[in-house]
Amino acid sequence: MASVAAQFATRGKKCVAIGRNYAAHIKELNNATPTEPFFFLKPTSSYALSADGKVEIPQGITCHHEVELGVIIGKGGRDITAAQALDHVAGYVRDPPFLSPGVRAYGFDTFCPVGQFIPKDKVQDPHNLRLWYKVNGEVRQNDNTSLMLYRIPELIEHVSSIMTLEEGDLILTGTPKGVSRVVAGDKIEAGLESTDGTLLDHLEHVVKDREGGYHFKANLLERTDANARTWADAEFEDARERRRHGWRDTA
């Protein structure tokens, strides 16, 4: 019987998404560099598991792509030290998540099209892998995981100091530079390769408009011309809301 970790997409309990973990990506968004790992949670219902492999964009949403290395927890724990962290890893996954800036839309159905489970022993060094992403044949992202600001042991140590990690949990380690918009009809390819060119995982899917369901309507916080919004706009508005409510900006 397959382990929970190997079946993380259907049996895992949570998805922890690390943000701002590549310097060039932080720069392109005009963000501050975090002084500790910065993360948020995505629902596991956002995993794209449909047979047609399509990602659905809700009405009124401006959608951007990313590509990330995912770490799948094999042995749960709390307050895991960085020195012991890799002992808790069962494997890896290539993940090209989607999000909609400024709308808190990290959890839409199909916005996290996970790849296949890659056992840990198939990856010699998770900090020396090539992540790439293409839209209609054009390379949008192409970088090495060696550029992570916080490496996997540090991420596991930090997250497990806040919440218990369980078998099957997925930690997305952040996206490199090159994030850009995708629209219905775009054909997507994403890949994860070792430095010798061995393809560890590859995914192809099509983006389409969702029929029915949620329909985003701009309000005073969200600019009327959503298509013209930039990542800087979204982050500025988020920061403004945090200040208005007295929330602390952990980044």
Side-chain angles (χ1 to χ4, degrees), residues 3 7 22 26 59-60 64 67 73 75 82 87 99 109 123 133 144 157 160 167 174 193 202 213 219 234 245:
S3 67
Q7 297 178 326
Y22 286 79
I26 292 172
Q59 299 175 66
H64 294 80
V67 62
I73 299 300
K75 181 173 69 172
D87 294 335
L99 65 161
D109 287 351
V123 177
Y133 194 98
N144 194 286
E157 180 178 71
S160 69
E167 183 181 5
E193 296 181 8
H202 174 252
N219 54 35
H245 290 285

Side-chain angles (χ1 to χ4, degrees), residues 139-157:
V139 176
R140 297 277 184 91
Q141 294 182 271
N142 185 14
D143 264 316
N144 194 286
T145 56
S146 63
L147 298 174
M148 288 184 197
L149 298 180
Y150 294 102
R151 294 196 160 203
I152 293 167
E154 296 172 281
L155 298 177
I156 292 175
E157 180 178 71

Side-chain angles (χ1 to χ4, degrees), residues 19-32:
R20 307 181 194 180
N21 202 26
Y22 286 79
H25 176 56
I26 292 172
K27 184 177 180 180
E28 74 179 347
L29 300 192
N30 195 29
N31 285 151

Side-chain angles (χ1 to χ4, degrees), residues 2-245:
S3 67
V4 171
Q7 297 178 326
F8 73 96
T10 55
R11 299 178 66 187
K13 292 183 179 179
K14 58 183 171 290
C15 176
V16 180
I18 306 296
R20 307 181 194 180
N21 202 26
Y22 286 79
H25 176 56
I26 292 172
K27 184 177 180 180
E28 74 179 347
L29 300 192
N30 195 29
N31 285 151
T33 300
T35 57
E36 62 181 24
F38 168 79
F39 71 90
F40 54 92
L41 298 177
K42 290 172 66 74
T44 56
S45 57
S46 67
Y47 295 160
L49 304 175
S50 62
D52 62 10
K54 290 183 178 179
V55 171
E56 298 180 330
I57 302 178
Q59 299 175 66
I61 291 298
T62 300
C63 181
H64 294 80
H65 67 76
E66 298 180 339
V67 62
E68 307 188 31
L69 174 67
V71 178
I72 302 166
I73 299 300
K75 181 173 69 172
R78 183 186 186 198
D79 295 331
I80 301 166
T81 66
Q84 298 174 325
L86 292 181
D87 294 335
H88 290 257
V89 174
Y92 303 93
V93 64
R94 182 267 322 116
D95 181 78
F98 294 82
L99 65 161
S100 179
V103 194
R104 303 293 187 185
Y106 298 99
F108 285 124
D109 287 351
T110 75
F111 264 38
C112 195
V114 292
Q116 64 181 3
F117 173 76
I118 304 169
K120 183 169 67 172
D121 60 9
K122 300 295 183 182
V123 177
Q124 184 174 357
D125 182 1
H127 300 108
N128 191 18
L129 299 172
R130 188 168 79 92
L131 288 165
W132 55 265
Y133 194 98
K134 297 179 181 180
V135 179
N136 300 323
E138 175 192 1
V139 176
R140 297 277 184 91
Q141 294 182 271
N142 185 14
D143 264 316
N144 194 286
T145 56
S146 63
L147 298 174
M148 288 184 197
L149 298 180
Y150 294 102
R151 294 196 160 203
I152 293 167
E154 296 172 281
L155 298 177
I156 292 175
E157 180 178 71
H158 180 71
V159 174
S160 69
S161 74
I162 296 170
M163 61 186 69
T164 298
L165 290 172
E166 302 169 276
E167 183 181 5
D169 285 350
L170 172 62
I171 300 177
L172 302 179
T173 57
T175 187
K177 68 180 184 299
V179 169
S180 61
R181 188 183 179 196
V182 290
V183 298
D186 281 344
K187 295 181 179 180
I188 305 303
E189 291 180 76
L192 177 67
E193 296 181 8
S194 58
T195 52
D196 64 3
T198 300
L199 187 63
L200 298 173
D201 193 22
H202 174 252
L203 174 72
E204 295 185 21
H205 57 259
V206 176
V207 178
K208 70 175 184 178
D209 288 326
R210 182 183 177 186
E211 297 180 5
Y214 178 78
H215 185 177
F216 172 69
K217 297 179 181 179
N219 54 35
L220 291 177
L221 255 183
E222 304 296 342
R223 301 219 175 156
T224 301
D225 185 5
N227 291 344
R229 290 171 51 83
T230 65
W231 282 90
D233 290 332
E235 290 298 317
F236 174 79
E237 291 176 4
D238 286 348
R240 182 175 64 183
E241 275 295 278
R242 287 193 294 269
R243 288 194 297 270
R244 186 167 72 86
H245 290 285

